[in-house]
Amino acid sequence: NYRKSWTGIILSWTYSLLWTVPPLFGWSSYGPEGSGITCSVNWHSKDANNVSYIICLFIFCLVIPFAIIVYSYGKLLCAVRQVSSTHKGPGRGREQRVLLMVLVMVVCFLLCWLPCAAVALTATLGQPGLLTPAASIIPALLAKSSTVYSPIIYVFLNKQVSETL
């Protein structure tokens, strides 16, 4: 259904803009990350403006999306299990491939975003100087590379896609 697909795309972009535009208008700000070679939200500042934005980002851009991912993939697994139980034969293998894909996607999401969230929260709420610039490089790179993993995982773990390649 193209209408649902476009609605999902538009909602995703709108939600993304909702959380990336506020620093341009004064709720927090953008600046160099700990290493000084990349740019991100200013999570070093301890003022209430920045702290509130970082906490909101943590809740609305990590916790809530993670809950949506778990819910959506849970519904997907239930649907696959239901179809597998009505059809005899290769359904069990399909169910296991979908389960593997779901687990890999969720683990990759967490591996990409939890270190970045931990660094941002530690820098925002912890003692000044607690994190060295070097300690923030890998979490930043993991977060920035997160968009690459889902399509790769989907291609390699989806039999229909990998057979056409």
Side-chain angles (χ1 to χ4, degrees):
N1 185 336
Y2 286 109
R3 184 179 179 149
K4 286 183 182 179
S5 298
W6 278 108
T7 301
I9 292 168
I10 291 168
L11 287 174
S12 295
W13 275 93
T14 303
Y15 195 76
S16 172
L17 287 173
L18 178 73
W19 290 106
T20 55
V21 169
L24 301 175
F25 294 104
W27 189 22
S28 188
S29 62
Y30 289 112
E33 283 187 305
S35 62
I37 55 174
T38 58
C39 185
S40 182
V41 175
N42 180 4
W43 33 266
H44 292 292
S45 177
K46 303 283 187 190
D47 67 8
N49 191 15
N50 283 322
V51 171
S52 66
Y53 184 70
I54 296 298
I55 291 171
C56 283
L57 277 181
F58 180 77
I59 293 167
F60 291 98
C61 297
L62 180 70
V63 174
I64 291 175
F66 180 68
I68 291 169
I69 288 169
V70 169
Y71 173 79
S72 299
Y73 282 147
K75 296 285 279 182
L76 175 67
L77 286 172
C78 288
V80 169
R81 181 170 283 148
Q82 186 177 10
V83 168
S84 295
S85 67
T86 60
H87 295 94
K88 302 296 183 215
R92 188 74 177 151
R94 182 175 343 144
E95 184 179 331
Q96 289 175 342
R97 277 194 312 278
V98 171
L99 177 61
L100 177 64
M101 184 177 67
V102 166
L103 289 175
V104 171
M105 291 268 211
V106 169
V107 167
C108 282
F109 177 84
L110 291 175
L111 285 175
C112 288
W113 288 106
L114 277 180
C116 185
V119 165
L121 287 175
T122 301
T124 302
L125 303 174
Q127 297 295 324
L130 186 62
L131 289 171
T132 64
S136 66
I137 292 174
I138 292 179
L141 290 175
L142 283 171
K144 290 175 187 348
S145 67
S146 68
T147 57
V148 175
Y149 301 126
S150 292
I152 291 171
I153 293 165
Y154 186 75
V155 165
F156 285 110
L157 293 179
N158 188 327
K159 196 173 185 179
Q160 293 171 326
V161 175
S162 60
E163 285 177 353
T164 60
L165 294 178

